[in-house]
Amino acid sequence: MRIKFVFNGREIEVETHPGRRLIDLLRADLGLTGTKEGCGEGECGACTVLVDGKPRLSCLTAAIQAEGREVLTIEGLRENGGLHPIQRAFVETAGVQCGFCTPGFIMATYALLKENPDPTPEEVRAWLSGNLCRCTGYQQIVEAVLLAAKYLRGDALRVTRNEKTP
Amino acid sequence: MRKSGPVEIVRPKDLREASSLVREGGMPLAGGTDVFVRVRKGLWDPPFLVYIGELPQLRGIEPREGGVEVGAAVTHAELLRSPLAAQLPVLRLALSTIGAPAIREMGTIGGNVANASPAGDSLIPLYLLEARVNLVGPEGERSLPMEDFILGPGKTALRPGEIIRSLWIPFPEGKPLPYFRKVGRRRALVIAVASLGALFWLRDGVVEKARLALGSVAPTVLRPREVEKALLGKPLDPGLLRPIADELSRLVNPISDIRATAAYRRRVAGNLLLDAAARLPRA
Ligand SMILES: Cc1cc2nc3c(=O)[nH]c(=O)nc-3n(C[C@H](O)[C@H](O)[C@H](O)COP(=O)(O)OP(=O)(O)OC[C@H]3O[C@@H](n4cnc5c(N)ncnc54)[C@H](O)[C@@H]3O)c2cc1C
Ligand code: FES
Ligand code: FES
């Protein structure tokens, strides 16, 4: 079966089985291994990607469920060849240690900050409750999200200024 | 354990075709948060899956006859975002405890109901609000109250080829005080050890009417009608409700499993009623 979807901003068409897991499609077929598989059962969040802007677990998603939608993975966050501000914030607060959980946390964070640009620490914790990390103890991750929120609010400000003063 | 290859999935073009594919032995697939987990664990081995998650007839949230009709394939997150759900605070309280954000974006209300788990969190508000389950199948449509639809753990009144089309949820009269709390071991993704949802209508500081629904303390969600009656005329005062809470603990019929013992669940059931009384305003 041919499945069409928008992948990291580009429309693509792949030949696959409709029941193939999205995570296998991403990692094995498309060769983008940023998305991680931890548990494969919905419990750890490592495989989180965005589908139409909303967080989804790619280990519990079939290829057919991505058809016609927009899929965004960690690889799609690169900005001008560099790190996305959320990625930068994770590095700066040591919210990344072994890094296995990081793509999932970052994608979930991306969805959160789009909905809620100025979350409280409690809101951050509640939102990320489906993502497990075995290294950091979470405190640095919460700090990373709050810092990323600051960066993104700042960036937004810069963009508007640039628009006003060409 | 399924060893080779992914499970077969077909996408019907409409509800009719979906129903005949289910009749042929296909298992409905909506969000997949239960189906994929169980297929992977080897607990279920359906010959093929019928993807109904995007059928337009299952996707609406519409006002209807003094309530709201929610398509079976509406996700928990979509329902939480809907202004109509804002009129059903007890539903919002319960849905917002389901999983973590990604699970709420994926899982559907129809999937939660069809699953018939005594721990299914959407079931509690649906019992409290006395919702109806609208079914469509080879012999046409029918509609059942929640309590007649759910028959036991994982058991429903679905006939061969039948699909849940929608849930009809009536708005309750007046403005009852809503309560929902589930007790579990991990805040996110908790499968309830015990949960209580309630609606209290108060007048002059005492209960004029009450509905309670408990999860995970019996083979199905439980409406303890004796206790609902016993609450009439009482103020929401945890001190005074202690005997009724004890009665509730006696009445439930929990099991022991890896998450908790039966005795613990009994105790939590009663305590949740006291918690409701302690948290809600008394007038
Ligand atoms: C990590 C994790 C955490 C979870 N946390 C919670 C939680 O906190 N609370 C909770 O209640 N549940 C929880 N669940 C369970 C699950 O997410 C919910 O039950 C969800 O609502 C199921 O919906 P779905 O669309 O994903 O169902 P699916 O997996 O697609 O289907 C579930 C069952 O329903 C049947 N079905 C689906 N739609 C229909 C229909 N329209 N007509 C007839 N049959 C149908 C399917 O054939 C299948 O038997 C969790 C699951 C996971 C993986
Ligand atoms: S790999 Fe998908 S949730 Fe763990
Ligand atoms: S950084 Fe290692 S699991 Fe989170």
Side-chain angles (χ1 to χ4, degrees):
Chain A
M1 174 178 188
R2 292 192 78 75
I3 286 182
K4 248 204 244 178
F5 60 100
V6 176
F7 180 52
N8 291 338
R10 226 162 27 100
E11 191 162 322
I12 63 165
E13 199 172 334
V14 288
E15 178 64 41
T16 187
H17 187 285
R20 186 145 175 85
R21 298 185 312 163
L22 181 59
I23 193 164
D24 298 325
L25 187 73
L26 298 173
R27 289 178 54 89
D29 303 354
L30 298 171
L32 292 181
T33 54
T35 307
K36 304 298 181 212
E37 177 167 7
C39 63
E41 295 178 0
E43 302 279 344
C44 76
C47 65
T48 306
V49 299
L50 302 191
V51 175
D52 289 347
K54 305 290 186 217
R56 236 192 125 94
L57 303 173
S58 58
C59 74
L60 296 182
T61 300
I64 199 172
Q65 292 172 305
E67 161 117 82
R69 311 236 204 160
E70 266 180 54
V71 178
L72 185 68
T73 68
I74 190 81
E75 288 89 353
L77 289 195
R78 255 159 153 321
E79 275 195 350
N80 315 317
L83 292 181
H84 185 276
I86 301 177
Q87 294 173 306
R88 231 166 55 220
F90 270 73
V91 172
E92 286 165 9
T93 62
V96 182
Q97 290 186 17
C98 81
F100 191 84
C101 67
T102 314
F105 270 102
I106 288 180
M107 297 317 289
T109 300
Y110 186 94
L112 167 67
L113 297 182
K114 233 178 10 172
E115 224 170 78
N116 179 357
D118 193 10
T120 64
E122 292 68 38
E123 286 169 336
V124 171
R125 285 175 194 278
W127 183 270
L128 297 178
S129 58
N131 293 75
L132 295 183
C133 174
R134 306 199 70 172
C135 303
T136 64
Y138 300 101
Q139 188 51 39
Q140 295 95 315
I141 290 179
V142 176
E143 282 163 22
V145 177
L146 297 173
L147 180 62
K150 235 186 245 166
Y151 284 159
L152 289 174
R153 292 196 306 268
D155 287 354
L157 218 64
R158 248 196 328 272
V159 172
T160 22
R161 250 189 250 130
N162 287 345
E163 278 165 4
K164 277 187 194 144
T165 48
Chain B
M1 190 67 162
R2 176 176 292 271
K3 287 190 193 67
S4 63
V7 57
E8 203 55 56
I9 303 181
V10 292
R11 187 203 279 269
K13 63 176 189 306
D14 55 24
L15 216 46
R16 235 183 124 81
E17 190 182 330
S19 157
S20 65
L21 287 163
V22 172
R23 175 115 219 204
E24 284 165 32
M27 175 183 279
L29 167 69
T33 59
D34 285 312
V35 169
F36 290 135
V37 170
R38 286 181 203 189
V39 166
R40 187 181 164 85
K41 287 185 175 164
L43 300 172
W44 288 352
D45 189 15
F48 63 98
L49 300 176
V50 183
Y51 182 41
I52 57 169
E54 289 172 56
L55 286 177
Q57 299 99 317
L58 303 183
R59 298 273 309 137
I61 305 176
E62 307 287 342
R64 182 142 310 153
E65 291 165 40
V68 47
E69 185 169 357
V70 182
V74 168
T75 67
H76 304 303
E78 287 167 339
L79 197 44
L80 280 166
R81 285 191 285 266
S82 152
L84 282 167
Q87 298 179 51
L88 297 168
V90 75
L91 179 69
R92 296 186 53 122
L93 287 174
L95 293 182
S96 61
T97 73
I98 292 184
I103 292 288
R104 291 197 290 277
E105 292 292 347
M106 300 165 72
T108 64
I109 189 148
N112 204 238
V113 170
N115 224 16
S117 160
D121 289 310
S122 78
L123 272 54
I124 290 181
L126 294 174
Y127 273 72
L128 285 174
L129 295 161
E130 303 189 339
R132 296 185 73 90
V133 189
N134 296 322
L135 305 168
V136 52
E139 276 117 61
E141 307 219 354
R142 62 189 182 119
S143 165
L144 293 174
M146 276 298 285
E147 277 168 283
D148 296 344
F149 178 75
I150 308 271
L151 303 179
K155 280 183 62 186
T156 67
L158 277 173
R159 295 179 187 149
E162 255 182 350
I163 291 173
I164 303 175
R165 186 172 59 75
S166 66
L167 282 306
W168 178 71
I169 314 173
F171 296 129
E173 264 174 55
K175 285 234 178 310
L177 295 173
Y179 174 84
F180 179 86
R181 184 159 178 198
K182 80 170 154 178
V183 174
R185 299 180 64 167
R186 175 176 159 204
R187 166 118 169 267
L189 318 177
V190 288
I191 303 175
V193 156
S195 51
L196 172 71
L199 292 174
F200 297 102
W201 286 259
L202 299 187
R203 172 176 242 157
D204 305 328
V206 299
V207 175
E208 187 182 36
K209 187 170 150 191
R211 290 183 191 162
L212 307 179
L214 291 124
S216 300
V217 294
T220 64
V221 168
L222 186 77
R223 276 282 302 271
R225 291 199 162 68
E226 302 85 329
V227 174
E228 292 178 359
K229 280 204 200 96
L231 285 166
L232 301 186
K234 305 273 186 321
L236 285 183
D237 177 337
L240 296 174
L241 295 187
R242 167 66 68 186
I244 298 180
D246 290 342
E247 168 69 17
L248 186 59
S249 290
R250 270 195 299 278
L251 205 118
V252 299
N253 177 23
I255 53 164
S256 294
D257 65 11
I258 50 167
R259 296 195 299 274
T261 62
Y264 177 72
R265 287 194 158 99
R266 271 183 199 290
R267 178 124 171 237
V268 170
N271 285 350
L272 282 170
L273 179 60
L274 300 180
D275 181 65
R279 279 163 196 264
L280 292 171
R282 291 196 193 171

